[in-house]
């Protein structure tokens, strides 16, 4: 189903997904050990809804919103209802679609069947008022339900059963369901063959678990490669180390967050690591080698270091001294690798201490529904946030001054790994961030913009989301047009680092960003907007003859609007953005070595020409955009928030997250 088809739909589309993951390792092991020929490898999530005689099983899913693509709708619904981490598929391959009627309410729906592979079958019941229970069933049990039989005396929804007639679309429904069950059967058979190939008589549970984790990691890697599609290049760039590339190329470090929960749960010797992404392996190798090199200097083994730190016989001051020596060694290594000085190391350290609190603060301010929910920025805020590099490194490898239980160990390893990733990524980008910020502060562009667009001529009150907002109007001398001059603050390191998980840090250009909005829009406003940009470039060339003046990016998002095309329900390049729905021209302007992002909005408002949006509609959407880009995923890969707060470790965060307006 194309997005344009969805936009023209007359009936509400409800997704229903075969959400499938691997059965637990111990279940597969016992089946193989007992010699079963038909080993149940997959588990499918089914949900129970309703009560009494109306209790039914169903597949995860729900209504697609009018302003979202069906792929986004599938990911949102699966996330909301199950809390499962999806593997990553670009289009959640469509199995089939058909119309049916909800008997009790006499409401028509269009069912869209899809397949969604997941990493984890949730161990925690997701809090959702519409769902009374979640179960993981085998392929045989799922097939039995679809064939009209009951499970625990409960049937499946009528439109998901071969036995129930839904009217004129009944044949289409049966074909769709048949395609789905055959497809799931093929996957189950393929996995059964794969597991039988690794099975050996006399194999221990531990040996089997190692092979199980390798297979799981292989599928995880495949998912992220399909979902994000830019694995680390085989041939490294000149003057770039492996770890620098892992942090700022390929998946920009997002893959490390994706695999980190598995490393946290299984330790640094996780067998699946050999099938993880190159970036993840490089990250782990760098940290492990750093610790090993230090211990070699100290003539200690890892086990001796662990015993020294955990022993009650070791004086606490001796433990502190050794950790501080490890800290100094690691900082020295970081300074050499990233070519940073002590001041820059300290700068990054302090920035990262505030990164997660700032992230949560931004989300809370954008969505009032989350103010009460995301109160816990860290579980171990003092233990991790105040730790030096040496303590972080030792904690990540399970070396502490105290003995923790397994749950605490997993939590500490995850949070220290996450913190180390942020710190190293910050080190990789701090020089570029400082240089670009200083260029704007001490450069010519800000003065040029002030001179070209003129002084404030008047102020107006406008209404945005029901609140009054004061804007400054300027009379642009070159075009004699009144414009709103929307100048943003210089980019913060918090924003820079967050964006660095989406693209190369040296390609981030919007350190200085302005928006120019035509107040009195006319029919030829788009033409006037293009003339304004051309006049500004002429102004720069005329006044700064000794400097190069150019535009490196020119994105014209006015063409579909001008041609009266109906845009597809699709997001822009950046996660959560609105793409061509925003009618504007966006450019990156260069003056010498300075750069500025300039967006020109020909229309103050396009409220009467939906789905297109002018500047006012963009301002009204901004809070939702801030939340969308954090909470929602793309192409089956979880969003940054879910990668930072992994459900199986921070399971309470899911219940808080789905309070967001995005899920309402």
């Amino acid at each position: 189903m194309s997005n344009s088809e969805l936009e023209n739909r007359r009936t509400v589309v409800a997704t229903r997904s075969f959400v499938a993951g691997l059965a637990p390792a111990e279940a597969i092991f016992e089946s193989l050990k007992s010699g079963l020929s038909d080993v149940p490898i997959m588990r499918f999530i089914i949900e129970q809804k309703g009560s009494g005689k109306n209790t039914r099983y169903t597949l995860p899913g729900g209504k697609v919103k009018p302003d979202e693509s069906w792929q986004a709708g599938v990911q949102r619904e699966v996330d909301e209802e199950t809390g499962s981490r999806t593997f990553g598929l670009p289009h959640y391959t469509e199995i089939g679609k058909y119309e049916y009627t909800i008997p009790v309410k006499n409401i028509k729906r269009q069912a869209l069947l899809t397949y969604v592979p997941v990493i984890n079958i949730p161990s925690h019941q997701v809090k959702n008022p519409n769902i009374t229970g979640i179960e993981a069933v085998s392929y045989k049990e799922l097939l039995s339900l679809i064939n009209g039989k009951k499970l625990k005396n409960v049937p499946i929804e009528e439109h998901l059963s071969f036995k129930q007639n839904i009217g004129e679309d009944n044949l289409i429904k049966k074909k769709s369901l048949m395609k789905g069950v055959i497809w799931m059967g093929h996957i189950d058979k393929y996995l059964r063959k794969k597991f039988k190939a690794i099975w050996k008589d006399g194999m221990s549970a531990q040996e089997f678990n190692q092979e199980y984790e390798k297979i799981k990691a292989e599928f995880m890697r495949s998912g992220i490669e399909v979902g994000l599609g830019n694995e680390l290049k085989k041939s490294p760039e000149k003057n770039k180390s492996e770890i620098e590339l892992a942090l700022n190329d390929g998946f920009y470090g997002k893959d490390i967050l994706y695999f980190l929960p598995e490393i946290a749960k299984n330790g640094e010797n996780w067998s699946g690591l050999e099938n993880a992404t190159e970036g993840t392996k490089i990250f782990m190798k760098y940290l492990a080698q750093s610790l090993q090199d230090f211990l070699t200097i100290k003539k200690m083994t890892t086990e001796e270091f662990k015993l020294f730190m955990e022993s009650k016989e070791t004086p606490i001051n001796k433990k502190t001294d050794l950790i501080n020596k490890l800290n100094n060694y690691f900082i020295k290594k970081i300074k050499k690798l990233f070519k940073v000085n002590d001041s820059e190391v300290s700068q990054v350290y302090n920035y990262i201490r505030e990164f997660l609190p700032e992230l949560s603060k931004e989300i809370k301010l954008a969505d009032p529904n989350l103010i009460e929910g995301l109160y816990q920025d860290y579980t171990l805020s003092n233990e991790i946030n105040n730790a030096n590099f040496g303590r972080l490194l030792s904690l990540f490898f399970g070396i502490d001054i105290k003995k923790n239980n397994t749950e605490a160990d997993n939590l500490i390893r995850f949070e220290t790994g996450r913190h180390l990733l942020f710190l190293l990524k910050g080190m990789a980008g701090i020089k570029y961030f400082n240089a670009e910020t200083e260029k704007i502060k001490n450069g010519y562009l800000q003065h040029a913009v002030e001179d070209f667009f003129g002084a404030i001529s008047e102020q107006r009150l406008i209404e945005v989301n029901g609140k009054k907002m004061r804007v400054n109007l300027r009379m642009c001398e070159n075009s004699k047009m009144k414009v709103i001059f929307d100048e943003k603050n210089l980019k913060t390191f918090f924003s820079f680092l967050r964006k660095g998980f989406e693209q190369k840090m040296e390609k981030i250009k919007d350190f200085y960003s302005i928006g120019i909005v035509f107040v009195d829009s006319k029919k030829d406003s788009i033409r006037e907007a293009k003339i304004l940009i051309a006049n500004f470039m002429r102004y720069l060339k005329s006044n700064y003859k000794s400097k190069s003046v150019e535009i490196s990016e020119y994105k014209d998002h006015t063409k579909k609007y001008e041609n009266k095309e109906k845009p597809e329900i699709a997001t822009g390049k950046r996660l959560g953005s609105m793409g061509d729905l925003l009618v504007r021209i966006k450019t990156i302007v260069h003056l010498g070595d300075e750069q500025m992002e300039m967006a020109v909005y020909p229309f103050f408002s396009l409220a009467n020409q939906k789905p297109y949006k002018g500047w006012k509609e963009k301002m009204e959407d901004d809070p939702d955009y801030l939340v969308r880009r954090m909470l929602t995923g793309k192409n089956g890969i979880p969003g940054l928030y879910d990668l930072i707060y992994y459900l199986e470790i921070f399971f309470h965060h899911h219940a808080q997250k789905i309070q967001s307006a995005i899920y309402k």
Side-chain angles (χ1 to χ4, degrees):
M1 176 179 286
S2 70
N3 290 327
S4 54
E5 280 183 281
L6 272 179
E7 191 170 309
N8 294 322
R9 61 189 176 239
R10 293 178 182 177
T11 54
V12 174
V13 172
T15 66
R16 287 290 179 264
S17 301
F18 290 99
V19 180
L22 288 175
E26 55 271 21
I28 300 175
F29 174 76
E30 290 301 330
S31 296
L32 288 167
K33 188 178 177 182
S34 63
L36 282 180
S37 59
D38 193 12
V39 179
I41 300 295
M42 294 178 78
R43 291 291 184 270
F44 296 86
I45 298 177
I46 58 172
E47 301 169 348
Q48 202 174 94
K49 294 184 178 182
S51 59
K53 292 181 179 179
N54 293 322
T55 304
R56 295 287 185 274
Y57 282 116
T58 188
L59 299 177
K63 290 181 284 187
V64 177
K65 294 180 180 181
D67 59 348
E68 71 179 347
S69 65
W70 68 265
Q71 293 96 332
V74 169
Q75 186 159 357
R76 177 180 52 75
E77 288 291 344
V78 170
D79 176 28
E80 179 184 356
E81 294 185 357
T82 73
S84 296
R85 280 199 302 161
T86 50
F87 266 116
L89 283 178
H91 300 300
Y92 288 91
T93 311
E94 179 188 327
I95 293 171
K97 59 181 184 288
Y98 53 87
E99 286 195 359
Y100 68 98
T101 302
I102 300 175
V104 180
K105 301 177 182 178
N106 198 29
I107 297 173
K108 271 204 167 187
R109 289 276 190 271
Q110 186 175 67
L112 178 64
L113 279 180
T114 65
Y115 163 56
V116 180
V118 295
I119 297 169
N120 62 309
I121 299 295
S123 56
H124 300 283
Q125 171 68 54
V126 172
K127 293 180 181 178
N128 190 310
N130 300 317
I131 300 169
T132 55
I134 285 182
E135 292 188 39
V137 298
S138 68
Y139 173 68
K140 276 190 172 181
E141 289 171 319
L142 178 68
L143 186 58
S144 177
L145 273 170
I146 293 173
N147 274 322
K149 294 181 181 178
K150 294 181 180 181
L151 178 67
K152 298 178 183 177
N153 209 33
V154 176
I156 200 164
E157 274 187 310
E158 286 78 1
H159 75 92
L160 291 171
S161 170
F162 284 131
K163 298 294 183 182
Q164 297 293 326
N165 194 316
I166 60 166
E168 60 186 42
D169 262 16
N170 200 52
L171 184 59
I172 300 172
K173 179 201 80 168
K174 285 188 174 182
K175 284 182 177 179
S176 298
L177 286 174
M178 183 62 73
K179 181 180 176 182
V181 296
I182 290 173
W183 190 358
M184 297 306 108
H186 282 319
I187 297 171
D188 194 58
K189 186 177 179 181
Y190 166 76
L191 287 170
R192 195 180 308 126
K193 187 177 179 182
K194 200 168 183 70
F195 275 101
K196 283 186 175 180
I198 63 164
W199 179 256
K200 298 173 186 174
D201 289 336
M203 196 178 207
S204 69
Q206 185 179 3
E207 289 171 328
F208 177 79
N209 192 61
Q210 288 182 332
E211 297 302 319
Y212 175 93
E213 292 295 328
K214 288 178 187 178
I215 291 173
K216 184 172 77 171
E218 181 186 334
F219 283 102
M220 286 177 67
R221 175 171 179 156
S222 173
I224 199 169
E225 286 175 349
V226 171
L228 297 181
N230 51 346
E231 172 62 301
L232 201 62
K233 295 181 180 71
K234 297 293 181 185
S235 53
E237 295 177 22
K238 287 183 179 179
N239 304 319
K240 291 275 188 179
S241 65
E242 278 190 332
I243 185 66
E244 287 175 289
L245 289 172
L247 296 167
N248 198 30
D249 204 336
F251 302 116
Y252 317 119
K254 192 176 276 189
D255 56 322
I256 300 170
L257 282 172
Y258 179 77
F259 279 97
L260 196 55
E262 304 304 321
I263 297 166
K265 288 186 292 181
N266 297 283
E268 68 274 14
N269 295 319
W270 176 47
S271 60
L273 190 59
E274 69 178 64
N275 288 334
T277 57
E278 292 303 312
T280 306
K281 287 189 275 190
I282 290 167
F283 175 74
M284 289 299 296
K285 178 184 172 185
Y286 177 76
L287 295 181
Q289 193 63 55
S290 297
L291 178 61
Q292 188 56 54
D293 289 347
F294 171 76
L295 293 177
T296 300
I297 294 169
K298 293 297 172 185
K299 298 180 180 178
M300 295 177 80
T301 65
T302 305
E303 192 57 38
E304 287 170 340
F305 180 41
K306 187 177 177 69
L307 288 171
F308 180 87
M309 295 302 294
E310 290 181 354
S311 174
K312 296 290 184 183
E313 304 298 318
T314 309
I316 190 66
N317 64 310
K318 296 288 185 185
K319 295 179 182 181
T320 304
D321 288 343
L322 189 58
I323 287 295
N324 287 341
K325 286 175 182 176
L326 174 57
N327 176 64
N328 294 335
Y329 172 81
F330 195 39
I331 287 176
K332 188 177 179 181
K333 188 171 182 178
I334 286 171
K335 285 165 63 178
K336 184 178 179 181
L337 174 65
F338 296 107
K339 300 178 179 62
V340 291
N341 56 38
D342 287 329
S343 174
E344 289 162 334
V345 170
S346 179
Q347 191 183 6
V348 171
Y349 180 83
N350 290 325
Y351 278 143
I352 300 307
R353 290 184 79 249
E354 297 301 319
F355 182 62
L356 287 185
E358 283 294 325
L359 206 61
S360 291
K361 181 181 175 182
E362 182 183 59
I363 298 173
K364 291 173 191 176
L365 289 174
D367 190 340
N369 295 295
L370 296 172
I371 289 175
E372 296 301 321
L374 306 180
Y375 59 87
Q376 196 170 12
D377 301 313
Y378 283 85
T379 300
L380 299 164
S381 56
N382 293 330
E383 191 162 351
I384 305 302
N385 217 20
N386 296 336
N388 64 22
F389 290 91
R391 181 150 167 74
L392 287 170
L393 194 59
S394 59
L395 286 173
F396 182 62
F397 288 102
I399 300 166
D400 201 349
I401 59 173
K402 59 189 185 303
K403 285 197 174 183
N404 304 300
N405 60 31
T406 302
E407 189 175 339
D409 264 339
N410 293 348
L411 182 61
I412 290 169
R413 203 187 325 265
F414 179 79
E415 290 206 7
T416 51
R418 181 181 64 187
H419 205 82
L420 283 164
L421 172 61
F422 292 160
L423 283 167
L424 292 178
K425 196 163 174 65
M427 296 297 173
I430 190 64
K431 279 195 172 295
Y432 177 68
F433 173 81
N434 285 341
E436 291 303 310
T437 305
E438 286 304 309
K439 285 175 191 175
I440 298 300
K441 286 180 181 177
N442 304 320
Y444 297 96
L445 258 177
Q446 286 192 87
H447 294 140
V449 166
E450 290 286 331
D451 184 48
F452 179 82
F453 288 102
I456 296 172
S457 59
E458 64 175 287
Q459 290 186 329
R460 283 189 193 175
L461 282 176
I462 63 170
E463 192 172 290
V464 176
N465 287 330
K467 295 180 181 178
K468 297 292 183 182
M469 174 180 170
R470 192 176 299 278
V471 295
N472 295 321
L473 269 62
R474 302 191 183 216
M475 178 63 77
C476 183
E477 291 297 323
N478 283 269
S479 61
K480 303 298 179 185
M481 292 186 69
K482 280 186 180 179
V483 296
I484 294 173
F485 184 73
D486 183 16
E487 186 175 28
K488 307 290 190 298
N489 291 326
L490 285 183
K491 195 165 208 63
T492 63
F493 191 80
F494 155 73
S495 173
F496 173 73
L497 184 62
R498 177 185 49 72
K499 202 168 184 178
F501 280 99
E502 297 177 20
Q503 65 182 98
K504 281 189 176 184
M505 288 186 281
E506 62 265 28
K507 289 192 175 181
I508 296 173
K509 307 295 184 186
D510 58 340
F511 287 86
Y512 177 41
S513 180
I514 64 170
I516 306 300
V517 187
F518 286 16
V519 179
D520 304 312
S521 303
K522 306 169 188 174
K523 282 187 177 180
D524 61 349
S525 287
I526 292 175
R527 176 176 165 274
E528 291 293 333
K530 293 175 181 178
I531 291 172
L532 178 71
I533 294 169
N535 285 342
F536 180 61
M537 296 305 291
R538 275 194 287 271
Y539 165 86
L540 291 178
K541 289 176 181 177
S542 173
N543 287 277
Y544 300 95
K545 292 178 180 176
S546 63
K547 293 187 173 293
S548 60
V549 176
E550 63 177 0
I551 290 178
S552 64
E553 291 181 23
Y554 188 94
K555 296 178 181 176
D556 188 348
H557 295 282
T558 66
K559 291 179 180 178
K560 286 189 176 181
Y561 173 81
E562 275 193 297
N563 296 334
K564 297 181 179 178
E565 295 179 33
K566 203 166 188 179
E568 290 187 350
I569 303 172
T571 57
K573 179 183 176 183
R574 190 125 10 258
L575 186 61
S577 65
M578 292 183 289
D580 285 338
L581 296 182
L582 272 178
V583 180
R584 63 182 177 181
I585 301 169
K586 207 170 184 181
T587 65
I588 301 293
V589 176
H590 296 263
L591 175 60
D593 60 356
E594 298 174 61
Q595 54 190 357
M596 171 185 74
E597 181 185 74
M598 181 168 72
V600 181
Y601 297 82
F603 304 102
F604 173 76
S605 174
L606 288 172
N608 296 324
Q609 299 183 57
K610 293 180 179 179
Y612 287 108
K613 300 175 188 289
W615 178 78
K616 182 175 182 287
E617 290 75 46
K618 176 203 173 287
M619 295 295 289
E620 290 173 337
D621 181 70
D622 270 354
D624 286 343
Y625 168 55
L626 289 174
V627 178
R628 283 199 307 272
R629 72 185 182 190
M630 281 301 301
L631 299 193
T632 60
K634 186 177 184 181
N635 292 346
I637 303 301
L640 187 59
Y641 180 85
D642 286 319
L643 291 171
I644 289 172
Y645 292 113
Y646 173 50
L647 175 66
E648 293 296 302
I649 294 175
F650 303 95
F651 60 88
H652 60 282
H653 272 270
H654 185 271
Q656 295 161 3
K657 184 186 76 168
I658 62 173
Q659 298 306 309
S660 168
I662 290 173
Y663 294 93
K664 300 299 181 185

